[in-house]
Amino acid sequence: MTDTALHAWSARELAAAVAARDVSAVEVMRAHLARIEEFEGRIAAFVSLLPESESLAMAEQADRAVARGDRLGVLHGLPTGVKDLMDVAGLPTSQGSAAYASEPPATRDSVLAEHLRRAGALIIGKTNTPEIGLGTLTFNPVRGVCRNPWDLSRHAGGSSGGAAAAVAAGMLPIADGSDSGGSIRYPSSFCNTVGLRPTPGMVPSGRTGNGWDPHGVAGPMARDSRDAALMLAGIAGHDRRWPISWVDEPRALADLDEIDLSGLRLGWSPDVWGLPIDREVRRVLADARRRLESAGVVVIDVEPDLDGADEAWQAIEMFGFAGDARPRFAEGRTGFRDDYLRNVQEGFDLSATELMDALAHRTELFRRTAAVLQEVDAIVYPATPVAAPPAEVEWVAEVDGVAFDRYFLWQRAACRLTVTGHPVLATPAGFTQGGLPVGMQLVGASRRDARLLAIGAAIESALGLVGAAPTAIRA
C-alpha cells in the first residue's frame, strides 16, 4: 500500500490492510512494540504493558480470525492502550495514585475495555494519567511525568496525557481518553493530535458510580478526525448497564460524509467568553482563521453566553469527586494528593441549593449553545490558553498576566464547554514560533458527533497539520 513505516499508517489504513491480509496483525503489533521500545523511556506514556509474547499472541489470534473469514470489528488488529483509570483484565489499575500503586492485576474488563475488545482492538497496556485523572497535566508518583513528543522538556497534557503522547509518537494508532474538564482536549492540543469529547451517553465507560451523569465522558483520541471516527464506531453503542447510552448503530459512525468547506459557517470566539489567552496562541488561531476563510469557509464572530459556566462546572465536578471518594475512603485508602482531598471536601460541603443551581444552569447553558448552533455549523474556540507548559510545573499559574491559585482555573477554556453538554472536538490549529502545537476546539450540535468529526476532517485537510512527525523524536 505504501512505503511508509507501519507505525505511521493511519488507523483506517491499518485496519483495512489487516482485514484484506495485505499486512498481518502480527506485523502491525511488532511495528508498534518497536516504537514503544525506542521511545517509551523518554516519554513515559504507559504505566504498564503486557509482556511482548502476550501482545504477539493476541495479534496471532487476530490473524487467525481473518483467515477464518470471521466478521471483523472496526478496530480489528489495532494495538491500543486504555487510560489507567479503567480496568483491563490482566493489568493493574494504579489510577496514578500512591493509594493504588501496589494493586494486583484486574480480574475483569471495564465496560470500555469490553467494547474495545468486541471491536477487535488489541489492548497492550495502560496509558499514563495524573492521580484519579486530576487536572490537565500528567504527573504522578507511580510513573512520573508524561513528556511531550514535540518537546521532551514539556508536558504532554492530561489527564489523558499518556494516550495523546502514545498516539503522537506512533506508539499506538488510537487510544481512549476521558474528559470532564479538558482531559481529552488539552493533551490533544498539546500533542498535535485529535480528540473528541462526545455527546454524553454516546460512549458507555462504566467508570463512575453515577451512571446518569453527563459530566465526565469517555472518547476517542487519534491522529485525525477520520481515525477518531473509526475508534468512536468501536467504543460507542447502547449498553444495558449504562442508562444514558443511546447509539444503536455505532459501526456507521466510521463512515464520515465529505464536507465542502465552501459555504461552511463557523462561529468564532477568540477567548471562550473573556478568558486570558496567550498572545502566541491568539496569533496561531488568527492565522488558522485566515487560512480557512481563504478555503471558502464563512467565519462569523460570535461570543456565546457562557456566564455562570465556571460556577456550574465547579459545583458538579466537586460533587463528583465527593461521590468518587466515598468507596475509596471506606476501603481505608490513604496517600492521596492534597488537591484531590480539597476537591472531595468541597464536594461534601456543597449545599443542596448550590447543586440544584448548578444543574439548572447546566441546562440553560445547553439551550444557549443549541440556539447559537442553529445559525452556524460549529463554534470554534481556542483549545488551550497556552501551548504545552514546562514539564516541571503542576499547573499553569499565570496566563497573559492573570494569576491562578488552583489547578483547574487554567482549564476553563475546556470546563466552560463541558457544561454546555455538546460534543467538542479538539483538532490542530498550528504551531508556535518555537514549534509547539496549538489546537482549536469545535463545538457541534448534540448527538451529531459524526457531522462534527466530518467538519473536523475537512478543516484538517485544509490546514494540513495532522500526521506530522513530532520534532523531538523524528527519525
Side-chain angles (χ1 to χ4, degrees), residues 293-434:
E293 288 174 327
S294 296
V297 177
V298 176
V299 181
I300 304 163
D301 291 314
V302 298
E303 197 57 77
D305 185 353
L306 297 174
D307 186 40
D310 296 341
E311 294 81 2
W313 180 89
Q314 186 170 338
I316 294 167
E317 179 86 350
M318 300 308 136
F319 180 72
F321 271 108
D324 172 85
R326 288 181 66 197
R328 302 183 194 278
F329 293 170
E331 293 173 355
R333 303 282 182 176
T334 59
F336 294 105
R337 178 175 154 186
D338 288 344
D339 286 325
Y340 175 76
L341 296 175
R342 180 179 178 183
N343 288 355
V344 169
Q345 189 58 54
E346 184 174 323
F348 280 124
D349 290 342
L350 275 174
S351 69
T353 299
E354 288 171 319
L355 185 58
M356 285 187 288
D357 288 345
L359 296 177
H361 206 79
R362 178 169 65 184
T363 303
E364 177 58 28
L365 288 162
F366 175 89
R367 291 170 178 161
R368 291 179 200 166
T369 303
V372 176
L373 287 166
Q374 292 293 306
E375 307 299 325
V376 295
D377 295 292
I379 309 167
V380 180
Y381 298 94
T384 62
V386 295
E392 294 76 26
V393 306
E394 294 191 358
W395 75 76
V396 172
E398 181 179 321
V399 176
D400 199 26
V402 177
F404 307 127
D405 63 359
R406 201 161 175 189
Y407 78 89
F408 57 77
L409 294 179
W410 79 290
Q411 300 173 203
R412 290 177 295 174
C415 299
R416 289 180 174 181
L417 304 186
T418 293
V419 288
T420 70
H422 286 70
V424 190
L425 180 70
T427 189
F431 293 88
T432 66
Q433 291 181 343

Side-chain angles (χ1 to χ4, degrees), residues 44-375:
F46 293 91
V47 178
S48 58
L49 287 161
L50 288 177
E52 180 177 321
S53 59
E54 292 186 28
S55 296
L56 291 173
M58 283 195 299
E60 290 169 356
Q61 291 177 0
D63 285 330
R64 286 195 286 271
V66 176
R68 288 193 302 266
D70 293 356
R71 186 174 189 270
L72 306 179
V74 295
L75 305 178
H76 190 82
L78 298 185
T80 193
V82 169
K83 186 174 177 179
D84 196 29
L85 300 178
M86 305 283 190
D87 285 345
V88 171
L91 290 168
T93 306
S94 78
Q95 302 185 56
S97 174
Y100 294 89
S102 301
E103 284 296 286
T107 57
R108 59 189 300 177
D109 282 335
S110 61
V111 174
L112 179 69
E114 285 182 15
H115 280 235
L116 281 166
R117 293 194 201 276
R118 193 178 306 152
L122 310 179
I123 303 173
I124 63 172
K126 304 294 289 296
T127 56
N128 204 356
T129 185
E131 179 171 303
I132 321 297
L134 191 79
T136 48
L137 298 176
T138 295
F139 60 94
N140 60 58
V142 178
R143 187 67 179 94
V145 174
C146 180
R147 295 178 180 271
N148 195 317
W150 288 89
D151 183 338
L152 296 175
S153 73
R154 302 278 178 158
H155 272 290
S159 62
S160 310
V167 168
M171 295 191 281
L172 294 174
I174 52 170
D176 69 275
S178 56
D179 186 308
S180 66
S183 290
I184 287 174
R185 292 164 282 164
Y186 269 49
S188 296
S189 176
F190 290 156
C191 292
N192 199 55
T193 55
V194 169
L196 175 71
R197 175 189 160 86
T199 299
M202 175 160 266
V203 178
S205 71
R207 181 186 173 216
T208 176
N210 180 4
W212 298 95
D213 185 12
H215 188 67
V217 301
M221 302 177 72
R223 290 189 204 116
D224 62 33
S225 286
R226 293 194 178 277
D227 276 2
L230 182 73
M231 184 173 185
L232 185 62
I235 60 177
H238 177 71
D239 190 291
R240 59 180 175 77
R241 296 160 293 183
W242 199 249
I244 64 172
S245 61
W246 53 273
V247 180
D248 290 327
E249 296 183 9
R251 200 177 183 102
L253 296 166
D255 299 319
L256 297 183
D257 293 336
E258 294 290 337
I259 300 291
D260 183 359
L261 285 179
S262 179
L264 188 73
R265 292 170 62 85
L266 294 180
W268 199 278
S269 168
D271 55 18
V272 200
W273 190 249
L275 290 176
I277 304 293
D278 179 76
R279 292 180 182 179
E280 184 70 352
V281 171
R282 288 181 182 272
R283 181 194 65 77
V284 171
L285 268 292
D287 181 63
R289 174 175 178 162
R290 285 190 293 270
R291 294 180 64 189
L292 291 173
E293 288 174 327
S294 296
V297 177
V298 176
V299 181
I300 304 163
D301 291 314
V302 298
E303 197 57 77
D305 185 353
L306 297 174
D307 186 40
D310 296 341
E311 294 81 2
W313 180 89
Q314 186 170 338
I316 294 167
E317 179 86 350
M318 300 308 136
F319 180 72
F321 271 108
D324 172 85
R326 288 181 66 197
R328 302 183 194 278
F329 293 170
E331 293 173 355
R333 303 282 182 176
T334 59
F336 294 105
R337 178 175 154 186
D338 288 344
D339 286 325
Y340 175 76
L341 296 175
R342 180 179 178 183
N343 288 355
V344 169
Q345 189 58 54
E346 184 174 323
F348 280 124
D349 290 342
L350 275 174
S351 69
T353 299
E354 288 171 319
L355 185 58
M356 285 187 288
D357 288 345
L359 296 177
H361 206 79
R362 178 169 65 184
T363 303
E364 177 58 28
L365 288 162
F366 175 89
R367 291 170 178 161
R368 291 179 200 166
T369 303
V372 176
L373 287 166
Q374 292 293 306
E375 307 299 325

